[in-house]
Amino acid sequence: MAEGEVPGDYIITRRDLHDVFFLVGSEKKEKISTIKCFLANYSPVFRSMLLETNMKERNSEELIKIPNHEPDVFNLMLSYVYGDQNLKFVDAAQAMRFHALVDQYLMTKLKAVSLYYLMKNCLNICDVLTCLVILDIKEMRNRALLTLYAKSISFLESEEFKLLDVRIVEFILNLKHLDIEEIHLWRALLSWAKHNCGNSTMQVEIGDESDEPAAKKQCTRENGLEGDAQKAEGASLRKTLGSLLYYVRFLAMSVKEFAEEVVITSILTDEEVIHIFSAFATGKPHGLQSISAETKRLPFSFVVKFTKDSTSTKYDVVSKHTIKVNDKNLILYSIELRQNIPNVDVCLQQDNKIVCSNVGYAKNKTNVVLLGCNALKAHNNYDLIITRKENDGLKSMKLWDCTTQYSDDFCSITEHSSCIKQLTFFVTSG
């Protein structure tokens, strides 16, 4: 390549060599041509489409329509296959749209590029949930759960929640472990339904920031509606909710919450209301197929506390514990030390290999060490090692003989000579 030449420039300018033609985009369409062998080299889908089948695209100058992706990401993809492997995304929204494109065409190398960018730059809770649920980026699961935990109520009450794709709302409602009261989930779901009422697709395109759907106006009503008008609105909202209604755990609410915030909407039928009130009163199943029989969700977070024996202490360079994980995947979210220990290293290992090391520990500022989004797999053992580094000739730290107090039976911990006050875990699956 000549000095200063941008990779792919030669191929772009030699249109006489181009042998495949695309019409890319939904609203803003663009005609894009290229050489089919470049695409075939990176994508088995394009290879089959353009070289290995009798499809009309193979030897035709007719435009191949790609309506579900936009020209900007299609051209970015071409830049990569032409040799420019230093792609620059405008923002996370563009990177997500790029990821959706290359995932559809099974372009593994290009998926790695967008995945790296998204893992580094995707921090907004809506973007993280979109990556996990819509793009099926499983590496985002722990980040999504932690972000949801940290911003749960404010997120549920935000305008952003109303714009969520129905699949993301279903993901949140389907979580078995969630530290959010059911009434807060119901209020958010009701707000989402009112916003999307009449919108048949109920999906927000990746990166789309369009205005509220006009169809919402069809469902706007004045407060205090009674009789037929109230029932009509309830029926319309129920149609919008669809199968989402099943994930709401009405039996996890109080009777007062159910009566004042659910019954009044007329979303449930009179028969369903009677059955649920009966279940509240008797404690027996309500017997409804379309309504969940589940009660309160399980805690997302739990704490293991180390209760010290004040009569027994010693000093050592290392405090080591083995964490035995039971039948659910966990995240070790934070470690609270019993006192501030300068120059300390925290490390989580499995089979003598480092899983993660400490980040965020600050001398004289806090005694909480955050370990981030590192998962502990079910039925595995991990070593948590806290080491006091040498400083001004001092190496050892004070350790107490402790007994661990469990808030739930998700893991067990051995070796109770410790400088730890408590460990905070999150449950991610199982």
Side-chain angles (χ1 to χ4, degrees):
M1 184 171 65
E3 185 177 352
E5 186 177 342
V6 178
D9 274 359
Y10 178 78
I11 301 168
I12 294 172
T13 57
R14 287 299 305 272
R15 295 189 179 277
D16 57 308
L17 300 178
H18 293 189
D19 56 3
V20 62
F21 306 86
F22 298 93
L23 186 63
V24 184
S26 52
E27 296 181 2
K28 186 179 179 181
K29 300 179 176 62
E30 182 178 330
K31 181 180 178 180
I32 300 173
S33 61
T34 185
I35 301 174
K36 63 180 66 171
C37 287
F38 281 92
L39 291 177
N41 186 49
Y42 278 89
S43 165
V45 178
F46 279 127
R47 188 180 309 139
S48 176
M49 179 192 298
L50 303 173
L51 300 179
E52 298 175 356
T53 71
N54 293 320
M55 293 176 64
K56 67 178 182 179
E57 290 92 341
R58 179 174 178 180
N59 295 305
S60 174
E61 292 189 8
E62 292 184 15
L63 294 176
I64 301 173
K65 295 180 180 179
I66 301 184
N68 54 335
H69 299 287
E70 297 307 315
D72 62 329
V73 292
F74 197 87
N75 282 316
L76 269 177
M77 177 268 291
L78 289 179
S79 295
Y80 188 96
V81 302
Y82 291 159
D84 182 5
Q85 299 186 0
N86 187 29
L87 298 182
K88 288 182 170 51
F89 297 106
V90 173
D91 52 25
Q94 186 186 55
M96 285 189 283
R97 290 188 292 108
F98 179 88
H99 195 88
L101 169 68
V102 298
D103 180 55
Q104 178 179 342
Y105 292 99
L106 303 181
M107 306 174 87
T108 306
K109 290 184 179 180
L110 281 74
K111 277 182 63 178
V113 174
S114 50
L115 175 61
Y116 176 82
Y117 178 92
L118 290 170
M119 292 299 294
K120 186 176 180 181
N121 296 280
C122 199
L123 303 174
N124 175 278
I125 185 169
C126 291
D127 290 344
V128 173
L129 286 168
T130 299
C131 285
L132 172 63
V133 180
I134 308 301
L135 299 180
D136 195 31
I137 300 178
K138 293 179 173 56
E139 292 87 344
M140 286 285 188
R141 181 177 177 85
N142 290 345
R143 183 180 299 181
L145 294 175
L146 291 175
T147 308
L148 185 61
Y149 172 83
K151 302 179 179 180
S152 56
I153 300 301
S154 61
F155 175 56
L156 293 178
E157 295 175 348
S158 69
E159 291 297 314
E160 291 178 308
F161 186 87
K162 298 177 184 178
L163 300 174
L164 288 180
D165 186 291
V166 64
R167 291 167 290 180
I168 298 177
V169 178
E170 182 180 21
F171 168 81
I172 295 172
L173 291 174
N174 197 31
L175 289 172
K176 295 180 180 178
H177 294 269
L178 194 62
D179 293 337
I180 300 175
E181 292 184 12
E182 203 68 23
I183 191 62
H184 291 301
L185 288 171
W186 170 252
R187 290 168 184 163
L189 183 61
L190 187 60
S191 178
W192 179 90
K194 288 179 178 179
H195 179 87
N196 292 280
C197 190
N199 182 357
S200 60
T201 60
M202 292 182 293
Q203 296 178 2
V204 178
E205 294 294 333
I206 297 173
D208 182 27
E209 297 180 356
S210 58
D211 294 333
E212 296 180 0
K216 174 191 172 184
K217 297 178 182 178
Q218 299 176 5
C219 298
T220 302
R221 299 287 192 274
E222 297 295 331
N223 292 331
L225 286 180
E226 296 179 356
D228 293 342
Q230 181 67 60
K231 289 183 178 180
E233 182 183 43
S236 184
L237 289 172
R238 180 160 186 154
K239 183 177 180 182
T240 300
L241 290 170
S243 61
L244 292 179
L245 191 65
Y246 177 79
Y247 297 103
V248 181
R249 302 185 176 196
F250 294 112
L251 296 180
M253 301 178 185
S254 68
V255 174
K256 184 174 186 292
E257 289 170 342
F258 178 73
E260 295 182 356
E261 300 198 40
V262 179
V263 176
I264 195 173
T265 65
S266 296
I267 290 175
L268 300 182
T269 65
D270 292 343
E271 181 184 3
E272 288 169 338
V273 170
I274 292 171
H275 276 75
I276 293 174
F277 272 131
S278 177
F280 277 126
T282 64
K284 297 180 180 179
H286 52 57
L288 298 168
Q289 297 297 318
S290 58
I291 302 295
S292 174
E294 299 284 349
T295 54
K296 288 187 176 181
R297 299 170 193 270
L298 299 172
F300 176 49
S301 61
F302 71 96
V303 174
V304 176
K305 295 183 178 180
F306 291 70
T307 303
K308 70 176 181 179
D309 177 358
S310 59
T311 63
S312 179
T313 61
K314 67 178 181 178
Y315 292 83
D316 204 340
V317 177
V318 177
S319 179
K320 180 178 178 180
H321 309 75
T322 298
I323 303 173
K324 297 181 177 180
V325 185
N326 295 339
D327 59 349
K328 300 182 187 299
N329 293 343
L330 307 176
I331 298 172
L332 177 54
Y333 180 71
S334 68
I335 302 171
E336 185 175 349
L337 302 179
R338 196 161 291 281
Q339 63 180 168
N340 190 22
I341 305 174
N343 299 301
V344 67
D345 278 339
V346 179
C347 182
L348 192 67
Q349 295 185 357
Q350 184 181 33
D351 298 329
N352 296 319
K353 295 180 180 179
I354 295 177
V355 176
C356 63
S357 58
N358 62 298
V359 293
Y361 183 84
K363 177 183 177 182
N364 298 327
K365 290 185 179 180
T366 177
N367 60 353
V368 177
V369 181
L370 299 179
L371 294 182
C373 305
N374 297 280
L376 284 68
K377 302 296 184 182
H379 308 296
N380 279 265
N381 295 343
Y382 298 84
D383 292 322
L384 176 62
I385 303 171
I386 301 175
T387 306
R388 171 76 156 87
K389 295 187 293 185
E390 184 173 2
N391 182 46
D392 298 329
L394 300 175
K395 293 180 63 176
S396 62
M397 54 187 169
K398 183 183 287 189
L399 307 179
W400 287 264
D401 284 347
C402 298
T403 302
T404 55
Q405 302 295 324
Y406 299 95
S407 63
D408 215 329
D409 192 25
F410 294 126
C411 69
S412 59
I413 299 174
T414 62
E415 182 56 58
H416 296 154
S417 182
S418 179
C419 60
I420 297 173
K421 184 177 181 180
Q422 67 180 37
L423 301 176
T424 300
F425 293 88
F426 289 154
V427 183
T428 67
S429 69

